[in-house]
Amino acid sequence: MSETLANLLQENRRFEPPTALAEAANVKADAYDEAADDRLAFWAKQAGRLDWAKQWDQVLDWSNPPFAKWFVGGELNVAYNCLDRHVEAGKGDKVAIHWEGEPGDTRTLTYSDLHKLTCQAANALTDLGVVAGDRVAIYLPMIPEAAVAMLACARIGATHSVVFGGFSVDALSGRIQDASAKVVITADGGYRRGKPSALKPTVDEAVAKSPTIEHVLVVRRTGEEVAWGEKDHWWHETVETASTEHEAQPFDAEHPLFILYTSGTTAKPKGILHTTGGYLTQTSYTHHAVFDLKPETDVYWCTADIGWVTGHSYIVYGPLSNGATQVMYEGTPDTPHKGRFWDIVDKYGVTLLYTAPTLIRTMMKWGDEFPAAADLSSLRVLGSVGEPINPEAWMWYRKNIGHDGSPIVDTWWQTETGAIMISPLPGVTGTKPGSAMRPLPGISADVVDDQGQSVPNGGGGYLVLREPWPSMLRTIWGDDQRFIDTYWSRFPGMYFAGDGAKKDDDGDLWLLGRVDDVMLVSGHNISTTEVESALVSHPSVAEAAVVGATDPTTGQAIVAFTIPRGSVDSEGEAGEVLIKELRDHVAKTLGPIAKPRQIMLVAELPKTRSGKIMRRLLRDVAEHRSLGDVTTLQDSTVMDLISDGMQSGK
Ligand code: 6R9
């Protein structure tokens, strides 16, 4: 960025926490002061929420930056903290997971059930020769065995590497080989969009290319026919026949817990490494603080896939370490109908919901009648993660899902940060639609300019983290130099997140998207997020993606891909009228500099499996180039539709 981001969007709406929620909140305003007084003492106190087999000697060793060690000398077992200690405390009969399969089949697993299954899986993996420090790849649909497989690895000190069920042969085998995994845990398939979707054939091909794999453990989910080889073992014949007794050994606080590859919107995927003590401390604390979880009464539901970091931290480790009761859903939000999510909230009485802007905007597109048909009155805190949430999508979420009263926590974090870093606290923070507000207690985020100087309130620039935090990535697997170059070299002594951000006049933070996506129009840096939010603030628009395309006069020009709301007529002449109206609307909302050169009305946008818009591909379309790598796309046919529309000038 040659100059800091132009601050275009104004937002004056404010929402204070409901009084009753504020009074009973797990975390109150004094947490900020406590952490500011002594950050390390604050984190040591949060680590004390867990059970340690051996107390640490030092909270943080930062003598060799950027390589951090947290809770040095401490020992604990992650699975013990997520399961055994709840069972030992007499909560074995409490429901851990209400699982809902896409076809409508259900399973209820108590903490005791989950504990037994995890012990069995730990014994089975040990029998297959897996020992502490080995890597295990997990390629499963959203079934309870996914959580069990992760916890079983954690229990025996094996490092798991979860790969999205749905990634290609090359993506899977690349990840297996990068980590030299010894075992893959998979299933015959899962259900998606009303049909069985096979996984085993992809694993067979990937394993054929991956000599380090010795065994493949296969869960039977769909019952479809699968090819069978020498390395294959059925889960029900191996795990479910193993002993339910297993004693968890403690591991060093810095023992590797998992590797997770970043979504790969850019170059070669990076294997982000997380370790044991600090990671569990921060996922557990943030889940308790940001969702205000009351384990005895709340029903929590995070709609993410377990193959995304959100699934790791806020389906498995955070909630289970806190003894939560949660919902886990296998399938897609529109199977068998567009109200499926809201039926699930209604059925289980979900109180805390954590989802992504992409889903909220999709629900906006489908229409208000779907949430209106269900009883959502149980919901008391709503979360958002994955992308900036446009103010109008935030308002829609609050009104249609949160019955105009439930606080929204917009949580900014990354695979690399391991846990939530910037977010409102639901009982403390007065929120603004579209702002992630403040760093959590114990976290020091800032926005800096090109020179690494902190920008004043009202300024924009790069988001950085100034101090190490417990759940930070420890390195990129096998590539310390790339870890240093990617995150710690742009601004010496600071972690560079790769996101643009601004501070408003109150010092609250607004995330503006990846800096790679920022547009330079006639010498002004303009964020894609702000233009997209301006488009979404028009009543006819559900979703928008904006890119900068090379332009002979302005350097870059703004090209917008826009999805109209379900009820809007956008065919033929009506479409032309709408496009003109939208261009004028953006100019009026943000100023003439932000007026898009071109707006295309489209039915879908290209997204990663975790729902992030892939602007890189839209830039290829806008600049009439052939498409780059599309392997991480959720639905690869979307790009054909968009390119066809572009050529016909629609
Ligand atoms: C958890 C997760 C990280 C990137 C991050 C940023 C974007 C995530 C956001 C957000 C604005 C939020 N992002 N949460 N942007 N507001 N609340 O998404 O991890 O898949 O590694 O992506 O997602 O751009 O840098 P990951």
Side-chain angles (χ1 to χ4, degrees):
M1 270 192 279
S2 57
E3 59 172 62
T4 49
L5 289 168
N7 273 355
L8 300 172
L9 203 66
Q10 296 298 326
E11 174 59 65
N12 299 315
R13 292 170 286 196
R14 297 279 180 287
F15 298 93
E16 294 305 322
T19 317
L21 195 154
E23 279 168 5
N26 288 349
V27 176
K28 305 224 163 78
D30 59 351
Y32 292 103
D33 304 327
E34 195 186 327
D37 278 353
D38 188 341
R39 188 172 58 92
L40 296 184
F42 171 82
W43 283 119
K45 180 174 159 192
Q46 307 318 329
R49 298 179 66 252
L50 306 176
D51 272 29
W52 293 75
K54 182 167 173 277
Q55 178 75 14
W56 57 89
D57 310 312
Q58 191 187 358
V59 178
L60 169 67
D61 175 359
W62 191 234
S63 59
N64 179 30
F67 300 96
K69 292 192 181 125
W70 281 86
F71 308 111
V72 184
E75 292 182 8
L76 74 168
N77 186 288
V78 167
Y80 176 86
N81 273 281
C82 292
L83 303 170
D84 306 47
R85 66 168 175 157
H86 306 314
V87 176
E88 287 169 13
K91 298 192 180 145
D93 292 338
K94 184 175 194 290
V95 174
I97 298 178
H98 290 292
W99 178 78
E100 173 108 0
E102 197 190 70
D105 50 335
T106 59
R107 284 162 71 184
T108 308
L109 287 98
T110 63
Y111 271 91
S112 183
D113 296 333
L114 206 55
H115 174 249
K116 283 199 194 110
L117 258 174
T118 302
C119 287
Q120 290 183 305
N123 284 321
L125 286 172
T126 305
D127 288 346
L128 292 176
V130 178
V131 297
D134 284 346
R135 272 81 58 209
V136 172
I138 298 177
Y139 185 73
L140 282 170
M142 283 291 287
I143 54 178
E145 284 75 8
V148 170
M150 291 163 71
L151 290 162
C153 288
R155 194 171 186 90
I156 61 172
T159 304
H160 59 71
S161 163
V162 181
V163 181
F164 256 131
F167 272 178
S168 64
V169 171
D170 287 344
L172 176 59
S173 73
R175 285 158 173 75
I176 289 174
Q177 289 175 56
D178 186 71
S180 309
K182 208 164 163 181
V183 169
V184 190
I185 305 178
T186 187
D188 48 3
Y191 287 91
R192 284 196 79 75
R193 300 186 198 287
K195 294 194 296 277
S197 157
L199 292 175
K200 179 76 168 37
T202 310
V203 175
D204 291 343
E205 271 190 71
V207 168
K209 295 190 198 178
S210 313
T212 57
I213 293 294
E214 294 171 12
H215 300 284
V216 181
L217 202 48
V218 189
V219 178
R220 191 156 63 192
R221 163 66 183 134
T222 61
E224 302 237 294
E225 192 85 18
V226 290
W228 207 248
E230 277 176 7
K231 295 180 178 175
D232 297 335
H233 310 264
W234 281 114
W235 175 279
H236 58 270
E237 290 174 3
T238 343
V239 174
E240 288 171 14
T241 57
S243 163
T244 56
E245 304 285 317
H246 182 275
E247 192 162 343
Q249 299 300 312
F251 292 98
D252 189 272
E254 285 298 336
H255 187 77
L257 179 62
F258 67 86
I259 303 168
L260 183 60
Y261 291 82
T262 50
S263 33
T265 42
T266 47
K268 178 177 179 270
K270 300 184 277 283
I272 303 302
L273 179 69
H274 284 287
T275 60
T276 298
Y279 173 79
L280 197 64
T281 296
Q282 195 176 331
T283 50
S284 189
Y285 171 70
T286 51
H287 183 256
H288 161 84
V290 172
F291 292 97
D292 191 41
L293 175 83
K294 307 282 196 274
E296 300 311 320
T297 46
D298 276 318
V299 178
Y300 166 82
W301 181 23
C302 168
T303 67
D305 193 287
I306 232 153
W308 184 23
V309 73
T310 305
H312 284 55
S313 300
Y314 297 104
I315 295 176
V316 180
Y317 296 115
L320 296 177
S321 67
N322 289 330
T325 292
Q326 68 176 316
V327 172
M328 182 176 180
Y329 172 57
E330 178 185 33
T332 44
D334 52 351
T335 309
H337 60 81
K338 293 181 169 125
R340 183 68 187 270
F341 266 33
W342 314 122
D343 284 357
I344 292 175
V345 170
D346 193 338
K347 174 173 172 188
Y348 295 101
V350 172
T351 57
L352 314 173
L353 178 70
Y354 196 22
T355 192
T358 178
L359 265 157
I360 297 164
R361 294 183 306 244
T362 301
M363 302 289 178
M364 281 169 74
K365 177 174 76 178
W366 289 344
D368 303 356
E369 62 272 28
F370 296 102
D375 178 0
L376 306 181
S377 59
S378 53
L379 288 169
R380 67 179 197 93
V381 178
L382 305 177
S384 172
V385 57
E387 286 181 298
I389 175 165
N390 320 100
E392 285 320 309
W394 195 104
M395 291 301 296
W396 186 91
Y397 194 25
R398 181 178 160 92
K399 177 163 179 277
N400 293 278
I401 312 303
H403 38 86
D404 253 333
S406 309
I408 295 180
V409 288
D410 174 13
T411 64
W412 179 88
W413 59 294
Q414 308 177 297
T415 307
E416 291 87 339
T417 69
I420 299 171
M421 304 292 281
I422 305 175
S423 167
L425 287 176
V428 179
T429 318
T431 51
K432 304 173 182 176
S435 171
M437 304 301 294
R438 296 278 166 124
L440 288 177
I443 299 300
S444 51
D446 197 3
V447 181
V448 299
D449 64 17
D450 258 332
Q451 270 65 51
Q453 300 298 317
S454 187
V455 304
N457 287 355
Y462 305 89
L463 185 73
V464 296
L465 302 167
R466 289 189 177 276
E467 302 285 354
W469 61 100
S471 64
M472 66 195 276
L473 76 166
R474 297 304 192 259
T475 189
I476 292 174
W477 181 258
D479 203 343
D480 287 348
Q481 192 56 48
R482 193 171 175 206
F483 168 62
I484 296 170
D485 294 345
T486 310
Y487 305 108
W488 302 93
S489 300
R490 177 69 184 79
F491 301 109
M494 295 179 231
Y495 171 89
F496 170 48
D499 282 351
K502 70 180 187 190
K503 287 182 196 165
D504 66 17
D505 293 339
D506 304 321
D508 294 321
L509 299 175
W510 296 73
L511 277 304
L512 298 177
R514 305 293 297 167
V515 292
D516 303 340
D517 290 332
V518 166
M519 304 171 291
L520 189 61
V521 182
S522 305
H524 297 265
N525 280 303
I526 297 183
S527 102
T528 51
T529 302
E530 288 189 302
V531 181
E532 287 162 6
S533 289
L535 284 161
V536 175
S537 74
H538 189 281
S540 299
V541 176
E543 178 147 36
V546 158
V547 298
T550 312
D551 185 273
T553 40
T554 55
Q556 278 191 324
I558 299 175
V559 177
F561 298 79
T562 303
I563 305 182
R565 289 210 196 189
S567 52
V568 172
D569 176 15
S570 57
E571 291 301 311
E573 201 164 325
E576 296 304 320
V577 172
L578 177 61
I579 286 171
K580 178 169 184 314
E581 205 178 299
L582 293 177
R583 291 182 68 224
D584 292 342
H585 174 75
V586 175
K588 207 169 97 214
T589 316
L590 298 179
I593 184 82
K595 186 171 184 169
R597 180 185 74 188
Q598 187 180 6
I599 293 184
M600 315 230 319
L601 303 178
V602 295
E604 292 293 343
L605 292 169
K607 288 178 186 166
T608 64
R609 283 292 306 267
S610 63
K612 293 190 210 302
I613 298 171
M614 289 182 78
R615 292 183 190 73
R616 175 171 60 77
L617 297 178
L618 294 173
R619 224 157 25 230
D620 289 342
V621 173
E623 296 183 337
H624 306 285
R625 261 194 312 276
S626 59
L627 292 182
D629 183 14
V630 292
T631 51
T632 53
L633 268 184
Q634 189 174 32
D635 174 1
S636 55
T637 58
V638 165
M639 286 318 294
D640 301 336
L641 291 173
I642 295 174
S643 313
D644 291 352
M646 189 87 182
Q647 270 142 27
S648 64
K650 219 177 124 186

